Tab-separated table of all heavy atoms in Angstrom:
chain	number	residue	atom	x	y	z
B	43	ARG	N	15.138	9.434	-12.002
B	43	ARG	CA	14.950	9.035	-10.554
B	43	ARG	C	15.524	10.246	-9.590
B	43	ARG	O	16.394	10.870	-10.000
B	43	ARG	CB	15.712	7.826	-10.342
B	43	ARG	CG	17.250	7.897	-10.334
B	43	ARG	CD	17.893	6.444	-10.363
B	43	ARG	NE	17.671	5.850	-11.606
B	43	ARG	CZ	17.723	4.521	-11.798
B	43	ARG	NH1	17.992	3.785	-10.737
B	43	ARG	NH2	17.577	3.953	-12.928
B	44	PRO	N	15.044	10.381	-8.321
B	44	PRO	CA	15.618	11.314	-7.381
B	44	PRO	C	17.029	10.719	-7.038
B	44	PRO	O	17.278	9.509	-6.894
B	44	PRO	CB	14.656	11.042	-6.167
B	44	PRO	CG	13.406	10.577	-6.771
B	44	PRO	CD	13.754	9.689	-7.874
B	45	GLN	N	17.902	11.658	-6.976
B	45	GLN	CA	19.294	11.250	-6.638
B	45	GLN	C	19.701	12.096	-5.547
B	45	GLN	O	19.618	13.312	-5.526
B	45	GLN	CB	20.243	11.356	-7.879
B	45	GLN	CG	19.976	10.284	-8.937
B	45	GLN	CD	21.035	10.171	-9.961
B	45	GLN	OE1	21.237	11.245	-10.664
B	45	GLN	NE2	21.629	9.102	-10.096
B	46	LEU	N	20.518	11.581	-4.545
B	46	LEU	CA	21.187	12.355	-3.542
B	46	LEU	C	22.268	13.257	-3.953
B	46	LEU	O	23.096	12.979	-4.810
B	46	LEU	CB	21.740	11.379	-2.529
B	46	LEU	CG	22.403	12.010	-1.301
B	46	LEU	CD1	21.426	12.670	-0.368
B	46	LEU	CD2	23.291	11.005	-0.528
B	47	ILE	N	22.102	14.559	-3.542
B	47	ILE	CA	23.150	15.582	-3.996
B	47	ILE	C	24.049	15.990	-2.831
B	47	ILE	O	25.095	16.274	-3.107
B	47	ILE	CB	22.507	16.804	-4.692
B	47	ILE	CG1	21.339	17.368	-3.961
B	47	ILE	CG2	21.879	16.353	-6.075
B	47	ILE	CD1	20.999	18.718	-4.480
B	48	ILE	N	23.432	16.016	-1.680
B	48	ILE	CA	24.299	16.379	-0.594
B	48	ILE	C	23.340	16.040	0.705
B	48	ILE	O	22.157	16.016	0.723
B	48	ILE	CB	24.571	17.964	-0.449
B	48	ILE	CG1	25.657	18.278	0.575
B	48	ILE	CG2	23.322	18.794	-0.269
B	48	ILE	CD1	26.178	19.648	0.429
B	49	ASP	N	24.027	15.708	1.809
B	49	ASP	CA	23.438	15.494	3.073
B	49	ASP	C	24.211	15.976	4.216
B	49	ASP	O	25.396	16.320	4.109
B	49	ASP	CB	23.065	13.912	3.230
B	49	ASP	CG	24.391	13.086	3.201
B	49	ASP	OD1	25.503	13.701	3.196
B	49	ASP	OD2	24.304	11.886	3.089
B	50	ILE	N	23.532	16.083	5.446
B	50	ILE	CA	24.176	16.650	6.619
B	50	ILE	C	23.604	15.923	7.804
B	50	ILE	O	22.423	15.500	7.866
B	50	ILE	CB	23.949	18.153	6.749
B	50	ILE	CG1	24.977	18.782	7.674
B	50	ILE	CG2	22.513	18.471	7.065
B	50	ILE	CD1	24.967	20.282	7.719
B	51	ARG	N	24.457	15.686	8.769
B	51	ARG	CA	24.074	15.083	9.988
B	51	ARG	C	24.076	16.063	11.216
B	51	ARG	O	24.715	17.123	11.055
B	51	ARG	CB	24.945	13.847	10.299
B	51	ARG	CG	24.755	12.758	9.225
B	51	ARG	CD	25.542	11.407	9.568
B	51	ARG	NE	25.273	10.422	8.452
B	51	ARG	CZ	24.268	9.749	8.327
B	51	ARG	NH1	23.221	9.695	9.213
B	51	ARG	NH2	24.254	8.765	7.299
B	52	SER	N	23.351	15.736	12.263
B	52	SER	CA	23.095	16.689	13.213
B	52	SER	C	24.193	17.166	14.025
B	52	SER	O	24.163	18.128	14.787
B	52	SER	CB	22.061	16.203	14.164
B	52	SER	OG	22.456	15.065	14.726
B	53	ASN	N	25.430	16.573	13.875
B	53	ASN	CA	26.617	17.082	14.539
B	53	ASN	C	27.387	18.068	13.692
B	53	ASN	O	28.593	18.419	14.135
B	53	ASN	CB	27.536	15.916	14.903
B	53	ASN	CG	27.942	14.993	13.646
B	53	ASN	OD1	27.349	15.169	12.536
B	53	ASN	ND2	28.843	14.213	13.905
B	54	VAL	N	26.816	18.498	12.605
B	54	VAL	CA	27.469	19.357	11.730
B	54	VAL	C	26.541	20.539	11.387
B	54	VAL	O	25.293	20.377	11.181
B	54	VAL	CB	27.885	18.754	10.487
B	54	VAL	CG1	28.551	19.619	9.463
B	54	VAL	CG2	28.881	17.552	10.654
B	55	GLY	N	27.161	21.812	11.264
B	55	GLY	CA	26.066	22.899	11.044
B	55	GLY	C	26.089	23.180	9.512
B	55	GLY	O	25.210	23.895	9.019
B	56	GLU	N	27.161	22.999	8.902
B	56	GLU	CA	27.122	23.419	7.408
B	56	GLU	C	27.963	22.306	6.663
B	56	GLU	O	29.080	21.822	7.120
B	56	GLU	CB	27.860	24.807	7.249
B	56	GLU	CG	27.877	25.225	5.832
B	56	GLU	CD	28.292	26.734	5.779
B	56	GLU	OE1	28.502	27.267	6.811
B	56	GLU	OE2	28.327	27.177	4.628
Side-chain angles (χ1 to χ4, degrees):
Chain B
R43 68 190 73 201
Q45 290 190 300
L46 178 72
I47 54 171
I48 195 168
D49 58 8
I50 193 168
R51 297 191 181 272
S52 60
N53 57 344
V54 176
E56 182 174 359

